[in-house]
Amino acid sequence: MAAPAGVASPDDLVACVELLFFAYRDFTGGPDAILETYGFGRAHHRVLHFVYRNPGLRVADLLDILRITKQSLARVLKQLIDKGFIIQRTGDDDRRERRLFVSTKGGRLAEKLITLQTRHMASALANVGPEASEFARRFLFAMIAASDRAHVEALVKQAAPRT
Amino acid sequence: MAAPAGVASPDDLVACVELLFFAYRDFTGGPDAILETYGFGRAHHRVLHFVYRNPGLRVADLLDILRITKQSLARVLKQLIDKGFIIQRTGDDDRRERRLFVSTKGGRLAEKLITLQTRHMASALANVGPEASEFARRFLFAMIAASDRAHVEALVKQAAPRT
DNA sequence: GACGTTATGTCAGTCATGTTGACTTATTTG
DNA sequence: CAAATAAGTCAACATGACTGACATAACGTC
């Protein structure tokens, strides 16, 4: 054998890289199809998702999460607001801020998409084994740039558990 | 406790979904930056990568792998050929076919990008533990749509081990 | 050898999503 | 009051997808 057991050979690593490409494509395919029926795209999905999971988010927070420009965000956000999926409310403390919330309709769509994706994820994890969820979180977290990890960790943990 | 040990709670699943988004973004960031210096984008990367790993690939095979239209592929492929990163050779048996190969220059770039990505992957896997590679492959494979798995498995395994 | 099929290439137009750069408005803060 | 901040907007552009239509060359079959 070229590589000792438990250690990744170069070909194993390339396989992981390629598998990630196909996995990500198939993972986003389901939501994409639903979004299309609403006239939305993946960009709308991201905005809706993070607002749903983090109610009261400010525009600046969203820019920080998505790492796109204000102008790119403005386009999709405006559409989501115009179509009544997201609601803006002037901040209580600072009235320059626009706090973002999903509407009932927006919440329904966000839930629909998240259900689709968590089912996909759950099914994949079930295929792998009992400790898969813990493992996947550690793996995916380690794939994130070190400089982003603290930020992402806070975002993912804090996310709205208002059952 | 809401969920028994080893079983993913809904919030764990959502965390995985979100982590995958950030992980994928950071994973593609490195190659993107290099590609930019060549005037290439992510689309070029995919073409170059799969041709590098599967020398002699036909255009039709590439379309099947990437699942984009002929016209979309044509644009990036033409640029890669024009700039001398990919070489076309008429098929020996069937002279309608154009077999695709990377040039020396193309191979160098492909190798550079793959090294970047496998290092990223290896570092993430090392963070997780000794069995991480095996686990990641199983997880990512399970994330791929069932209808695609056989196809992807063949592609990933067959890939050029001509060291 | 003519004809239908296949592999590839190409022209033209559109859409989604990202980018830069410049500027406005409302509000808070020093 | 002046400066800084949060957000919104206008204009132009790049990338990478898409559809639809059509062209060319080579293969295979009757």
Side-chain angles (χ1 to χ4, degrees), chain A:
Chain A
M1 264 180 217
V7 173
S9 73
D11 272 352
D12 286 344
L13 293 171
V14 174
C16 286
V17 170
E18 294 185 351
L19 289 173
L20 179 55
F21 165 66
F22 294 112
Y24 194 77
R25 184 178 64 185
D26 286 352
F27 188 63
T28 51
D32 285 354
I34 291 176
L35 288 156
E36 208 179 332
T37 71
Y38 290 82
F40 292 146
R42 206 173 293 179
H44 301 87
H45 183 189
R46 289 177 195 140
V47 171
L48 185 65
H49 174 91
F50 285 109
V51 171
Y52 176 64
R53 292 288 298 179
N54 305 274
L57 214 61
R58 293 171 306 151
V59 170
D61 298 326
L62 213 36
L63 289 175
D64 206 44
I65 292 169
L66 301 175
R67 296 246 208 97
I68 57 177
T69 57
K70 186 172 51 164
Q71 296 90 326
S72 294
L73 175 58
R75 196 172 19 210
V76 292
L77 185 54
K78 193 174 188 310
Q79 291 168 341
L80 285 164
I81 291 167
D82 287 350
K83 294 196 183 175
F85 289 77
I86 284 187
I87 292 162
Q88 274 182 326
R89 228 168 55 206
T90 298
D92 292 335
D93 298 358
D94 186 335
R95 293 192 14 242
R96 287 173 304 183
E97 296 174 351
R98 299 297 134 80
R99 297 291 183 157
L100 302 172
F101 302 86
V102 294
S103 66
T104 307
K105 183 164 76 165
R108 270 200 304 269
L109 177 54
E111 190 61 40
K112 191 169 168 180
L113 296 169
I114 222 173
T115 299
L116 200 70
Q117 293 198 293
T118 52
R119 276 199 195 143
H120 188 146
M121 183 63 72
S123 149
L125 295 174
N127 259 21
V128 173
E131 303 295 327
S133 160
E134 165 69 15
F135 191 100
R137 267 172 295 147
R138 284 202 286 144
F139 166 56
L140 293 172
F141 190 68
M143 287 284 287
I144 295 169
S147 54
D148 287 353
R149 285 183 201 152
H151 192 245
V152 169
E153 190 170 27
L155 178 73
V156 169
K157 283 199 172 165
Q158 149 222 309
R162 38 114 214 201
T163 320

Side-chain angles (χ1 to χ4, degrees), chain B residues 37-49:
Chain B
T37 70
Y38 290 81
F40 292 145
R42 204 174 293 178
H44 301 87
H45 183 189
R46 290 175 194 144
V47 171
L48 184 65
H49 174 91

Side-chain angles (χ1 to χ4, degrees), chain B residues 3-162:
Chain B
V7 172
S9 71
D11 272 352
D12 286 344
L13 293 171
V14 173
C16 286
V17 170
E18 294 185 351
L19 289 173
L20 179 54
F21 165 67
F22 293 112
Y24 194 77
R25 182 177 66 186
D26 285 352
F27 188 63
T28 51
D32 286 353
I34 290 177
L35 287 156
E36 208 178 334
T37 70
Y38 290 81
F40 292 145
R42 204 174 293 178
H44 301 87
H45 183 189
R46 290 175 194 144
V47 171
L48 184 65
H49 174 91
F50 285 109
V51 171
Y52 176 64
R53 293 288 298 177
N54 305 273
L57 214 59
R58 293 172 306 151
V59 170
D61 298 328
L62 212 36
L63 288 176
D64 207 44
I65 292 168
L66 301 175
R67 295 243 209 98
I68 57 176
T69 58
K70 186 171 51 164
Q71 296 90 327
S72 294
L73 175 57
R75 189 168 3 151
V76 290
L77 185 54
K78 192 175 190 311
Q79 291 168 342
L80 285 164
I81 291 168
D82 288 350
K83 293 195 184 176
F85 289 78
I86 283 187
I87 292 163
Q88 273 182 327
R89 226 167 56 205
T90 299
D92 292 335
D93 299 355
D94 187 333
R95 295 190 15 241
R96 287 172 305 183
E97 295 174 353
R98 300 297 136 81
R99 297 291 184 158
L100 303 172
F101 303 85
V102 295
S103 67
T104 307
K105 182 165 74 166
R108 270 200 304 269
L109 177 54
E111 191 61 41
K112 191 169 169 182
L113 295 169
I114 221 171
T115 298
L116 200 69
Q117 293 199 295
T118 52
R119 275 198 195 142
H120 187 147
M121 182 64 70
S123 149
L125 294 174
N127 259 20
V128 172
E131 303 294 327
S133 161
E134 166 69 13
F135 192 100
R137 269 174 293 146
R138 285 202 286 143
F139 166 56
L140 293 172
F141 189 68
M143 287 283 286
I144 294 169
S147 55
D148 286 354
R149 285 182 202 153
H151 192 244
V152 169
E153 190 170 27
L155 179 74
V156 169
K157 283 200 170 160
Q158 148 222 308
R162 39 115 213 202

